Amino acid sequence: MITVRPANERGHFNHGWLDTYHTFSFDQYRDVRHMRFRALRVINEDVVAPGQGFGMHPHANMEIITYVLSGALEHRDSLGNGEVIRPGDGQRMSAGKGIVHSEFNPSQSEPVHLLQIWIFPDRDKYEIEPGYEQKAFPDEEKRGRWRLVASPTGEDGSVSIHSDARLLVTKLAPGETLPLPLPAGRHGWLQMATGAATLNNGDASGVALHQGDGAAISEESSLSLTATEEAEVLYFDLA
């Protein structure tokens, strides 16, 4: 079963300094039909204006992944971490029993375009010490294949999260096809970060997906993704 979450049906707010789209209910956007998918709680597509950002604010009981598509985002937190996240980096913050952080666009001329992702942990927040991890995943490692960016074990050089979930990313050229990893009994969420593609399960017509679209996948045994234009795609393998 494939259920598409169209980009133009997401929650949308333009605050001037922040233009944001919410795949799932978040903050001022509430829709009981779109609260989460499995452990995946938030996918926010944000464009932050130059010199603007989110001031210090708290989080708890969540695994947070920030994936920058263009520009740069400066992170600071109550653990003393201070990093700049750039396109292709995998950044993970485990909020655990509590952490405070800020995210700021350090450029005075260019906006930053990013996806912020929240995943529920698989244990009580008081069992998780707050933590931070960031690694670079170059484009050549994603071209025409799935690159593991986040996993429970940190395998294959991925960042580690406290959840039975894996994040994979690919970049596809027009006409390029890639099978989706679909382990038995698992569920998937496909998020079109940029570009367009067709999701095919043997039906000649396939399912057309464009930038910002998402697709929930369950009870499918064989799927492939074919780019119809240059595309960057995130895929979540979920329990």
Side-chain angles (χ1 to χ4, degrees), residues 103-148:
E103 294 168 307
F104 186 77
N105 181 356
S107 173
Q108 296 303 307
S109 59
E110 299 294 330
V112 56
H113 184 195
L114 65 129
L115 296 176
Q116 186 161 112
I117 298 146
W118 294 8
I119 299 173
F120 283 113
D122 57 9
R123 64 202 74 170
D124 188 274
K125 65 181 180 181
Y126 295 108
E127 299 177 28
I128 301 173
E129 289 296 326
Y132 181 89
E133 187 178 13
Q134 181 175 332
K135 294 184 178 180
F137 298 91
D139 281 358
E140 56 266 27
E141 297 182 3
K142 305 169 192 169
R143 289 284 177 191
R145 72 181 188 96
W146 292 110
R147 177 56 166 108
L148 185 64

Side-chain angles (χ1 to χ4, degrees), residues 64-76 82-93 101-106 112-116 132-136:
I64 299 173
I65 297 170
T66 301
Y67 192 83
V68 172
L69 299 172
S70 63
L73 190 71
E74 185 176 1
H75 165 96
R76 295 187 182 278
E83 300 283 351
V84 176
I85 312 162
R86 303 187 187 280
D89 288 352
Q91 183 253 40
R92 176 271 300 174
M93 186 177 74
H101 80 136
S102 66
E103 294 168 307
F104 186 77
N105 181 356
V112 56
H113 184 195
L114 65 129
L115 296 176
Q116 186 161 112
Y132 181 89
E133 187 178 13
Q134 181 175 332
K135 294 184 178 180

Side-chain angles (χ1 to χ4, degrees), residues 7-8 10-13 19-23 43-46:
N8 62 3
R10 295 176 295 176
H12 178 225
F13 298 91
D19 192 8
T20 180
Y21 289 85
H22 306 320
T23 294
I43 301 179
N44 288 348
E45 180 182 355
D46 294 341

Side-chain angles (χ1 to χ4, degrees), residues 20-206:
T20 180
Y21 289 85
H22 306 320
T23 294
F24 303 108
S25 293
F26 182 86
D27 195 24
Q28 301 171 56
Y29 172 59
R30 287 289 181 269
D31 187 335
V32 295
R33 300 168 301 169
H34 301 288
M35 295 299 297
R36 62 187 287 185
F37 180 72
R38 315 299 296 182
L40 187 56
R41 175 62 187 87
V42 166
I43 301 179
N44 288 348
E45 180 182 355
D46 294 341
V47 176
V48 181
Q52 300 293 320
F54 305 89
M56 281 290 186
H57 59 282
H59 288 287
N61 198 35
M62 201 66 65
E63 300 293 299
I64 299 173
I65 297 170
T66 301
Y67 192 83
V68 172
L69 299 172
S70 63
L73 190 71
E74 185 176 1
H75 165 96
R76 295 187 182 278
D77 63 43
S78 52
L79 301 178
N81 298 299
E83 300 283 351
V84 176
I85 312 162
R86 303 187 187 280
D89 288 352
Q91 183 253 40
R92 176 271 300 174
M93 186 177 74
S94 294
K97 57 189 179 183
I99 193 170
V100 177
H101 80 136
S102 66
E103 294 168 307
F104 186 77
N105 181 356
S107 173
Q108 296 303 307
S109 59
E110 299 294 330
V112 56
H113 184 195
L114 65 129
L115 296 176
Q116 186 161 112
I117 298 146
W118 294 8
I119 299 173
F120 283 113
D122 57 9
R123 64 202 74 170
D124 188 274
K125 65 181 180 181
Y126 295 108
E127 299 177 28
I128 301 173
E129 289 296 326
Y132 181 89
E133 187 178 13
Q134 181 175 332
K135 294 184 178 180
F137 298 91
D139 281 358
E140 56 266 27
E141 297 182 3
K142 305 169 192 169
R143 289 284 177 191
R145 72 181 188 96
W146 292 110
R147 177 56 166 108
L148 185 64
V149 170
S151 70
T153 60
E155 63 194 87
D156 196 23
S158 61
V159 299
S160 57
I161 56 175
H162 300 92
S163 183
D164 186 4
R166 300 163 83 237
L167 169 60
L168 303 99
V169 180
T170 189
K171 286 194 166 186
L172 297 175
E176 198 166 17
T177 296
L178 190 62
L180 263 68
L182 292 167
R186 305 284 290 183
H187 304 263
W189 182 278
L190 195 73
Q191 188 70 28
M192 296 297 301
T194 63
T198 299
L199 186 58
N200 198 308
N201 63 352
D203 185 332
S205 62

